[in-house]
Each structure stands twice: as structure tokens, then as C-alpha cells.
Amino acid sequence: HLLLFLLFLGPFNCFASYSRATELFYSLNEGLPAGVLIGSLARDLRLPTAGGQHPAASQPPLSFTLASRGLGGQYVQLDNHSGELHTSAVEIDREALCVESSEATIIGGEAAVFSSSSSSESCLLLLDVLVLPQEYFRLVKVKIAIRDVNDNAPHFPVPHICLSVPENSPVNTRLAIEHPALDPDVGTNSVQTYRLQENYGVFTLDVEENESGERTPYLIVMGALDRETQEEYVTVIVAEDGGTPPLMGSATLTIGISDINDNCPQFNDSQLNITLYGNFSVGSRVATVCALDMDLGSNAQITYSYSQKVSQPSRDLFHLDENTGAITLSSKIDGDTPRHHRLIILGNGPGCIPAVITVLVTIIKVMMRPPEVVPRFIANEVEGVVYLKELEPINTPIAFFTIKDPDEKYKVNCYLDGDGPFRLSPYKPYNNEYLLETTKPLDYETQQLYEISVVAWNSEGFHVNKIIKVQILDDNDNSPVFSQQLIELSIEENNVPNAFLTKLHATDADSGERGQVSYFLGPDAPSYFALDKSTGVLTVSTQLDREEKEKYRYTVKAVDSGFPPRESVATVTITVLDKNDNSPRFINKDFSFFVPENFPGFGEIGVISVTDADAGQNGWVALSVLNGSDIFVIDTGKGVLRAKVSLDREQQSSYVLWIEAVDGGDPALSSTAKITILLLDINDNPPLVLFPQSNMSYLLVLPSTLPGSPITEVYAVDKDTGMNAVIAYSIIGRRGPRPESFSIDAKTGNITLEESLMQNDYGLYRLLVKVSDHGYPEPLHSTVMVNLFVNDTVSNESYIESLLRREPDISIEEKQPQISIEPTHKKMEPASCMPTLIALSVISLGSIALVTGMGIYVCLRKGKKHHRADENLEVQIPLNGRINLHMLEKKPVEISNI
């Protein structure tokens, strides 16, 4: 490039006054197709070109060349002769060329792309153009600003955003959403607003813009939160840019409410009464106190302790477990043990005032030894709690109990006290042996814990009971259950991507992992539906089109985490609601109708068929005539086009109408179609005779006229077309000394002399000529009287006029003109029309020449009449009628032998 520049530089030194660097600035939108004009360098530099001022003939033409085909050169095409700069086939993508906060320049005169960090909207394409020849040499710096268009929709970096909000957050608390939406576009085409699809009445969004122009959405708390009422909110956050039309992107937003210590422990009862017998065993459980805290985790931890009001003897006699609240007998009851004990127990929570319950224990002293109950457990037992699986069969043995009297004086009996599917029965053949077993299937979901007592009493009425707790262990025997087996949903078409549909909910009565439910789409679900495995949020990732598919039906599964896992199935039906997004559509863009003229008013011309893919009122279409509504009307419901009046082809042969179809949507959409109505000719106009112009006119025929000479002609026109306008001439009546001396050409209407005129042939000849068309089904005709006066001169005009005023006694000849014309129902070859057209043209030119000659001859005759004092003037009777097409005036002409 440097060598090329030095080669140009040497000869250019002598033209320094013309050599200068120039800058031109253009701008265009990104994404334009090839061939779009960016600018004309020759015009903008005011240089002479082929279309403007011409340089001297000795100077070579201008030439424009890119200094280098660098990065920018691939996006433009420069016309080397005209200097016009166009876009190339490589599409310009502003987001790919100009990355914000980046700067790139290619050295050595190559094209470069520049994006300034100071302005996110600045994106320049730089070109160096050389203008030659040396007389006009310039180095032109061309800067092309690439304008942004809204061709990118906002998108979130993650599809699922989680945000934690403390439940004690005050109103107007603002929390930044860490993953704002991204949009490669700039300016107003970038992300402008955010909104929540469902705000639950307690949330809203606000947007803050920093100094660099970045917009960050903030979640604002608008109402009181309570984790114990609702611990999670799931919604969809939508980002929208400022383009026209705006583009949108969305993501699922899960707002978790974090727990704070806003609840304190509470006992269900304020006082508990316990009675003990003096023979109560050491280590046995006396009672258990339990307090509840609605908080979670460490905020719900409860410890139990004695109040300072509890006496030391009571503390020594009864042990309180600080974690479980269990009260057990820690020392043996003897005669010195007080009979009444008041145990005030505190339930302590972090940062809370303790809850208080009072346990009153009354000890009854006994003088004899009570019966003994000795258990021997068969089932798994830990610290007096028996653990049974819920799927254990009926009659599952739990424990053997041996009942005996220590003094061996009294008979001892026993029974089972408490509710539950258990039975205590003597185990034969042994005495005082009893078996505890189940009587019904156990169900963890119905009841998890049973507390029963084996009561033994002797004949003296002394009772002893052995408390046994039976804990039922859960098995995975329950499948998840959907709240609805048929989930019916609806959504408007053209929805935003990742639109929220619903949140599925299924419950599993099992506990622990066995009750944890995961959600999955069935195999019949389309790929563009998504179901969150954990939350059950159902979304659709793409826009739905009702006209493409109106209803979706597929299955969803809820699967628990047991082994083996159990599942249940529900059916989801989605109805896509219609929006007015389709314009009415005509079956054809152009309609053509052929209608015979004189068609009766309000007759059916044709049917305009139009459809609209939308449904309901959006698909209702109304038709109207945009132009020509004073003549035509259209039936809105049926699309029938009618004419209000009868149409005449001779007045107007065709009509072009524009029909508009408007649907019933809001806003309404419309489309138009072109209607062409062509009127077919019918034979409704008889031939119009233009010459002769009057039945009272006449023509002088010299007796010396040679046979075969043309005398005059009958000329007529017909306003109809086609065969309806083909005219034939015939003589249907004659009167004169020898009337058969004249004949007429059926095609041209030329009247010629057939025989030589004799002395006896002098006088007035009256020929009744019939002019008939070839219309179908009935031809129409007109008649005209052709008057020929055979004589050497016109010496008595009044006499001739008197003869013309008499009613001619002419017999009508029913002789049809002989013209060979193909029937109208036969198809004519295009080549067969050419001879006819040529003949008609020749005849027309001949007629015009004849009329011109006759006019000249009459003028000459008038000049001679001034020298004939002894002769009377001979003039033709003027015409009184007016013809719409032409004004023709004929004078008498003498026919010579020439």
C-alpha cells in the first residue's frame, strides 16, 4: 500500500492545488440487504461525472478505489466509475462489529471499525477512498455510522432466579435482582422496563440506572410477609426493551421468605395432673411435657427446665430431660417421700419469654407389694418404644408379658388399656403368660404413634400398669396425588417466551424422602413446554399460535423418592385463546368478472371469497367498496357483488374496483383486493349512417360516366364491437329509368355504375340502401336513400327538390347482402384478421381521398358559375341532421370519364 501511494504521489506534486484530504460522513441502519445506496462520493464531493459536468475531452474519466479491502471493505461495494457506495451481500451486524467498551483500529490505511466507550451508541465504519486521475486526486476519509435497530430481544443469563427476603422486611424494602436481563442493542432498543407477571399484592419492581447507563431491577416489598403463612412465591419476571415494536424476555423468579425468630414456645395445656403409687419403679417415665414453636431451625429449638420455685426435694425425686421434656422417677419412693409435688416447668426458646406448665404429682402410698408386669419384647424396642413397619401382616407378635404376685397370695389378672389395633391374650398352655399382637394392618398415614397400657390387678383391687409406646415406621406405600387429575389451562396466543402457565401440586402421604415429589412431563408433551422438577412450575418457552394449533393435551407425572419409586399421572389441557393477529385474506389478489352489458340492476356479478384465520369476532369480516360505491354494492355477509344500475358497454367498457375486507377485532385489521369488471358487448346499437347525411341529398351523375366507375359511397359505423359491429350494405329498393344500372359493394358501401348510360336513362334514380350489422341473435339495421341524378347538368334544382319530396314508390327487395363472414360461434385464427384490417384501412384511405377530390371539384365548379349567366345555379340540398361522431358535409360532384 505504501508503494502504491508513492507511485501516485510523484506525478501529483504538480497538482498540489487540487490534492487534499476530505472527510465524508454517512449513516445507515444495520442489517440492510445488498445494494442499498449509502451515498454518492462524486455528488457529495461535487466532482464532474458522466451525469453532470463533463471534464475536458483530453482528461480521463474519474475513478474511485478503496485504498484497502480491509475489515470494513467487505461490508460495502464501491462503483469505480460513479463513486456510488452501496451495501454488499455481507450483512452488517452492529452487535458483532461494535462491542461496547472496546476499540479496534487497523493500521496502514486499512478499513477499521471503531466503537467508543464514551458513547454506547457510537459505531463507525471507516474507509479510505482514492479519487483518480491526478487532476482530481483526493484521499477521502469516509465515516459510516452504523445505527442500531431493535433486532435482539432481552434475555436473562439464567432461566431461574432465586431471591431470599426476610419475613420481617418492612414495606418499601428494596432488594437488587442479581441477574438483570441483557440486550445487545443500545439506546432505547436496550432493556428499559421490568415487570412481574404476578405480584401477589405484596411485590413490585423498580429500575435504577447507574452512571454508565446500566439498568438494574429491584424487588420492592409492598406488604407484610409471614413465612408461617406462605414461605415461597413463584412468578415470572419480564424484561422489555424500548423498540417499536418492543421485544421481551422472561425468567422464573422464586422469592423465598426466610425465617426470623418471631414465634415463641407455647404449651397446649397450662396444668397436668399425675397420680403415682408408692411402688412405682425407679427410672419409669412419669409424664412428658411438650411445647411448640412455629419457627424453623435454631429459632424453633426448645429446652426445658425447672422454675426456681420448684423445691429441691422435688428436683431430686423427679428428673427432667431438658431436650425431650420427659419426667422420670429418679429415686425410690419411701415413707418419708412427700405426697404432693408441684413441678413448674419452663419451655425456653431463643430470645423468648419462657412458656410455663405446672405438673401436679400426687403419690399414693401402698402397704403391699403390687403385681409385677415383666415384658419380653419380640419386636424391635428401644427405651420402651416398640417400632413396627406399617406393612407388617396381621397377628404380628410384639411382646410376651409375665404377670405375677410377689407375695404369691393373690390372684392376678391383666388386660390391655388404650386404643389401637392390638390384642393381649393368654398364651396357653402357660399360666400368667400373655401375648401382645396386632389385629389389623397398620397405616402410618392414619396414625404414627400408639400408647397402650398393660394393666395388672390382684384380687385386692391393687392396679399396676405398664405403658408401652408403639411407633409405626413409614413405608413407601402411597403414590403422589395431584390436586386435580384434569388440569385445564388457557393462554392467549403470541405470549412472551417462557410464559408462566401454572404451578402443579401433588401430595404424598408418606414421610421423609418417600414423600418428596418430583414433576416430569409425559412423553406426549411438546418439546417447547417445560416443567420445573422441584417446584412444579409449568412454562412454555415459545410463542403459541392459535391458528397453528388451538388445543394441547398431554400428561404430567409426579414421582416420589421412595424405593421403588411410585408415581401418578395427571392430564394437562391448554386452550390457546385467539388474538386478532391475522388480517382478512382474499382467495385471489385480483378478481375478474365478465358481465354482459345491459345487465339488470342489482343482479349478481360475482362472489368475492375472503377468509380470516382468527376465531369469533376477530374472524368476522365486513366487505365494502372503496371506489365506485355509487354504482356498485357488495353483500357483506355473502360477498356478492352487484351493480345498482344497468351497465352500458358503449359508455364504459370496464370498471376497476377496490374491495376492502375489515375484521371485527380491536384494533381491526384489513386487506384489499382488486376487482376488474369487463362488460361483454350485446347487439344493442343499429348501424349509424354518416354518409349520405340526408335522404334529400342527391348527386349529379354525368351520362358519359364509364361502367365500373365509382359513383358515391354509403358510410356507416356501429358502436358495438366484434361481429355486432361488422356492417353489410345492400340495395333493397330501386326506382329510376333503368335502376339496375347501379350496384353497391356489400363490404365497403361503394356504389358503382354497372352499365353505360343511354339517352333514355336520364333522370332521377332513387336507391334504398339497407345497412345491417351481424349481431347475434338478431342483426340490427338502418336504411338510407341514395339519390342519383343522371344528366349533363343541373338546370332546375327546384324541380329535382320537388321530385325528392315526393314519396318514392319503391318495392322492397328482401335480398340479403352477400358477405362471407365466419359465424360468431367459430373461433377465428389471429392471422385471419390481418387481411380484413388491411382492406378496411385501404378502403378508409380511399374514401377520404374520394371525399377530398369531390370537395375540390365542387369548389372549381362554383368558380365557373360566375361566368355562366344563362345557366341556373345547381346546389346540393344541405343536411339538417347532427351526428355525434363527425360533422360531414358533402357537395354534388360531377363524375367524369377520367
Side-chain angles (χ1 to χ4, degrees):
H1 298 136
L2 181 59
L3 177 60
L4 177 64
F5 182 77
L6 292 176
L7 289 175
F8 286 139
L9 183 61
F12 289 165
N13 289 335
C14 59
F15 298 94
S17 59
Y18 296 99
S19 302
R20 59 186 182 274
T22 307
E23 284 191 357
L24 292 178
F25 182 82
Y26 300 104
S27 64
L28 78 160
N29 292 339
E30 62 173 324
L32 293 178
V36 176
L37 178 63
I38 301 173
S40 175
L41 274 63
R43 181 189 62 205
D44 298 335
L45 294 173
R46 299 183 179 178
L47 297 175
T49 61
Q53 301 176 353
H54 291 276
S58 61
Q59 296 177 355
L62 289 174
S63 174
F64 300 85
T65 309
L66 284 176
S68 173
R69 301 292 295 184
L71 177 61
Q74 64 179 324
Y75 297 104
V76 298
Q77 285 184 341
L78 178 62
D79 190 303
N80 295 335
H81 301 291
S82 66
E84 289 187 348
L85 199 62
H86 296 82
T87 57
S88 69
V90 180
E91 183 177 297
I92 298 177
D93 185 0
R94 185 189 185 281
E95 288 73 35
L97 289 177
C98 300
V99 182
E100 190 167 341
S101 301
S102 70
E103 182 175 347
T105 304
I106 300 176
I107 306 174
E110 293 192 356
V113 176
F114 170 79
S115 176
S116 174
S117 60
S118 62
S119 174
S120 61
E121 299 187 22
S122 176
C123 180
L124 297 178
L125 192 65
L126 305 182
L127 303 172
D128 290 344
V129 179
L130 294 176
V131 181
L132 299 174
Q134 59 188 9
E135 289 88 347
Y136 302 98
F137 172 73
R138 299 188 189 192
L139 176 61
V140 182
K141 297 285 187 177
V142 179
K143 296 181 179 180
I144 304 175
I146 310 301
R147 293 191 298 264
D148 182 52
V149 298
N150 193 27
D151 56 347
N152 291 279
H155 69 279
F156 287 88
V158 293
H160 194 171
I161 302 173
C162 296
L163 190 64
S164 179
V165 181
E167 64 175 324
N168 64 337
S169 298
V171 175
N172 293 327
T173 297
R174 303 170 65 89
L175 297 100
I177 297 178
E178 296 181 356
H179 301 285
L182 306 176
D183 193 329
D185 296 324
V186 297
T188 58
N189 293 332
S190 63
V191 178
Q192 299 295 315
T193 60
Y194 292 85
R195 59 183 172 85
L196 293 177
Q197 202 171 74
E198 173 61 55
N199 58 20
Y200 297 97
V202 293
F203 298 106
T204 188
L205 287 180
D206 189 18
V207 180
E208 290 187 2
E209 185 174 353
N210 57 19
E211 296 179 354
S212 61
E214 296 179 350
R215 295 174 180 264
T216 302
Y218 280 80
L219 182 71
I220 302 177
V221 179
M222 302 299 294
L225 304 175
D226 185 6
R227 187 205 63 79
E228 288 73 32
T229 302
Q230 185 167 348
E231 64 180 3
E232 185 180 76
Y233 297 87
V234 179
T235 184
V236 174
I237 181 173
V238 179
E240 184 174 319
D241 62 24
T244 303
L247 302 178
M248 292 173 286
S250 62
T252 303
L253 177 63
T254 301
I255 305 170
I257 309 303
S258 58
D259 185 56
I260 64 168
N261 191 27
D262 57 346
N263 291 280
C264 291
Q266 290 183 350
F267 287 105
N268 292 331
D269 300 312
S270 60
Q271 182 173 311
L272 188 62
N273 297 319
I274 302 296
T275 299
L276 294 180
Y277 291 96
N279 59 351
F280 198 78
S281 302
V282 175
S284 299
R285 183 175 300 179
V286 177
T288 300
V289 295
C290 182
L292 298 177
D293 192 321
M294 299 299 293
D295 293 324
L296 293 176
S298 60
N299 295 330
Q301 290 184 354
I302 301 174
T303 59
Y304 301 93
S305 63
Y306 284 126
S307 171
Q308 294 180 357
K309 297 180 180 180
V310 178
S311 62
Q312 190 61 41
S314 296
R315 292 172 182 263
D316 296 338
L317 184 62
F318 299 102
H319 174 262
L320 175 63
D321 190 304
E322 65 177 4
N323 294 319
T324 64
I327 304 172
T328 57
L329 185 65
S330 58
S331 59
K332 187 176 180 180
I333 300 174
D334 54 22
D336 298 330
T337 302
R339 296 185 58 188
H340 299 283
H341 297 267
R342 184 181 180 87
L343 307 178
I344 301 174
I345 300 174
L346 306 177
N348 305 294
C352 291
I353 299 175
V356 179
I357 186 172
T358 302
V359 180
L360 299 178
V361 182
T362 301
I363 298 176
I364 299 175
K365 295 183 178 181
V366 295
M367 300 304 295
M368 63 181 68
R369 291 187 295 174
E372 293 181 359
V373 179
V374 181
R376 288 171 292 168
F377 291 99
I378 303 172
N380 184 27
E381 180 267 340
V382 178
E383 295 183 355
V385 180
V386 178
Y387 295 92
L388 293 177
K389 293 183 178 180
E390 63 174 329
L391 298 181
E392 293 287 355
I394 301 174
N395 301 325
T396 297
I398 299 174
F400 279 112
F401 290 90
T402 301
I403 309 299
K404 61 182 180 180
D405 183 13
D407 299 329
E408 298 181 353
K409 295 181 179 179
Y410 306 100
K411 181 180 178 181
V412 179
N413 295 314
C414 73
Y415 65 91
L416 188 65
D417 186 22
D419 297 328
F422 305 104
R423 175 177 59 202
L424 183 66
S425 57
Y427 190 75
K428 297 179 180 180
Y430 304 104
N431 294 327
N432 297 331
E433 294 288 342
Y434 293 86
L435 175 64
L436 179 64
E437 59 185 353
T438 60
T439 59
K440 295 180 180 179
L442 303 174
D443 187 4
Y444 173 86
E445 289 71 35
T446 303
Q447 188 169 346
Q448 295 86 34
L449 181 66
Y450 294 91
E451 188 171 311
I452 56 178
S453 297
V454 177
V455 181
W457 81 100
N458 57 21
S459 56
E460 295 297 322
F462 196 83
H463 290 74
V464 173
N465 64 337
K466 180 68 175 179
I467 299 175
I468 300 173
K469 291 184 177 181
V470 180
Q471 177 68 54
I472 309 301
L473 300 179
D474 187 30
D475 278 313
N476 192 31
D477 61 338
N478 290 278
S479 299
V481 178
F482 281 99
S483 56
Q484 293 176 286
Q485 287 299 313
L486 179 61
I487 305 165
E488 297 179 329
L489 307 173
S490 63
I491 183 174
E492 279 194 344
E493 64 176 330
N494 304 332
N495 54 282
V496 297
N498 299 318
F500 173 82
L501 294 175
T502 189
K503 183 177 181 181
L504 303 180
H505 181 66
T507 57
D508 193 317
D510 294 324
S511 62
E513 292 185 353
R514 292 173 291 272
Q516 293 180 359
V517 180
S518 300
Y519 302 91
F520 301 94
L521 290 172
D524 54 345
S527 60
Y528 39 84
F529 288 96
L531 181 59
D532 190 281
K533 176 181 178 181
S534 303
T535 63
V537 172
L538 181 63
T539 57
V540 57
S541 60
T542 186
Q543 284 189 347
L544 299 180
D545 186 0
R546 188 204 66 84
E547 289 71 37
E548 181 179 340
K549 189 171 184 180
E550 184 176 4
K551 289 187 178 294
Y552 294 86
R553 184 183 181 93
Y554 53 87
T555 57
V556 290
K557 295 190 297 183
V559 182
D560 62 23
S561 301
F563 184 80
R566 301 174 69 97
E567 65 179 40
S568 62
V569 178
T571 301
V572 176
T573 62
I574 301 174
T575 301
V576 182
L577 304 179
D578 184 54
K579 291 181 71 175
N580 192 29
D581 58 343
N582 289 278
S583 300
R585 183 177 181 181
F586 289 92
I587 292 181
N588 298 316
K589 292 183 178 179
D590 295 330
F591 292 84
S592 296
F593 298 107
F594 295 87
V595 181
E597 64 173 329
N598 302 331
F599 194 68
F602 292 97
E604 180 177 327
I605 295 176
V607 178
I608 311 300
S609 298
V610 62
T611 60
D612 194 312
D614 294 321
Q617 186 173 350
N618 294 333
W620 179 84
V621 179
L623 298 174
S624 61
V625 181
L626 296 180
N627 62 322
S629 58
D630 54 337
I631 300 178
F632 298 94
V633 66
I634 191 166
D635 189 329
T636 296
K638 298 180 180 179
V640 177
L641 181 65
R642 306 176 189 273
K644 299 180 182 178
V645 296
S646 180
L647 304 177
D648 187 358
R649 190 204 63 81
E650 285 72 37
Q651 293 183 1
Q652 187 170 343
S653 61
S654 64
Y655 296 86
V656 177
L657 305 179
W658 289 96
I659 304 297
E660 182 182 38
V662 182
D663 62 23
D666 184 19
L669 301 177
S670 64
S671 61
T672 57
K674 180 182 177 182
I675 312 297
T676 302
I677 301 173
L678 301 174
L679 297 184
L680 303 177
D681 183 53
I682 64 173
N683 193 27
D684 58 345
N685 290 281
L688 176 63
V689 179
L690 300 180
F691 183 84
Q693 299 177 357
S694 171
N695 289 335
M696 301 298 291
S697 62
Y698 67 95
L699 183 68
L700 178 64
V701 180
L702 298 178
S704 60
T705 303
L706 296 178
S709 299
I711 303 302
T712 185
E713 69 170 342
V714 177
Y715 179 68
V717 295
D718 197 314
K719 295 181 181 179
D720 295 322
T721 61
M723 297 303 297
N724 295 332
V726 176
I727 298 175
Y729 303 88
S730 64
I731 299 175
I732 63 173
R734 305 168 184 263
R735 184 176 181 182
R738 191 153 55 97
E740 64 276 4
S741 300
F742 299 95
S743 65
I744 189 169
D745 189 292
K747 292 184 179 180
T748 64
N750 291 335
I751 297 177
T752 58
L753 180 64
E754 294 292 329
E755 301 174 358
S756 299
L757 298 175
M758 303 298 179
Q759 185 69 27
N760 296 332
D761 296 335
Y762 285 31
L764 179 65
Y765 288 80
R766 308 196 74 175
L767 305 179
L768 182 60
V769 177
K770 179 180 180 181
V771 183
S772 176
D773 61 24
H774 286 71
Y776 180 83
E778 289 293 335
L780 302 178
H781 70 274
S782 300
T783 59
V784 64
M785 187 69 71
V786 178
N787 302 304
L788 304 175
F789 185 63
V790 179
N791 202 358
D792 292 325
T793 182
V794 179
S795 59
N796 191 350
E797 291 185 2
S798 59
Y799 171 72
I800 298 175
E801 291 177 1
S802 65
L803 293 177
L804 293 176
R805 282 192 293 269
R806 295 176 186 175
E807 195 69 32
D809 184 12
I810 299 177
S811 60
I812 306 298
E813 303 174 5
E814 295 299 331
K815 184 179 179 180
Q816 297 297 330
Q818 300 298 320
I819 297 182
S820 59
I821 300 176
E822 295 294 333
T824 58
H825 63 275
K826 292 186 178 181
K827 182 178 180 181
M828 298 180 63
E829 296 295 333
S832 66
C833 295
M834 294 304 297
T836 304
L837 293 176
I838 294 173
L840 291 176
S841 301
V842 172
I843 292 172
S844 299
L845 293 175
S847 300
I848 294 173
L850 178 62
V851 172
T852 304
M854 292 174 65
I856 295 173
Y857 181 79
V858 170
C859 292
L860 294 175
R861 293 280 293 178
K862 282 186 177 181
K864 293 180 180 181
K865 288 179 183 179
H866 294 286
H867 303 284
R868 297 180 182 178
D870 57 344
E871 293 183 3
N872 294 328
L873 295 176
E874 300 176 1
V875 294
Q876 186 182 8
I877 301 173
L879 298 177
N880 296 324
R882 290 184 176 270
I883 308 301
N884 291 334
L885 300 178
H886 302 284
M887 294 296 292
L888 300 178
E889 184 174 339
K890 298 287 184 175
K891 299 297 181 179
V893 178
E894 291 186 357
I895 306 300
S896 66
N897 294 328
I898 301 175

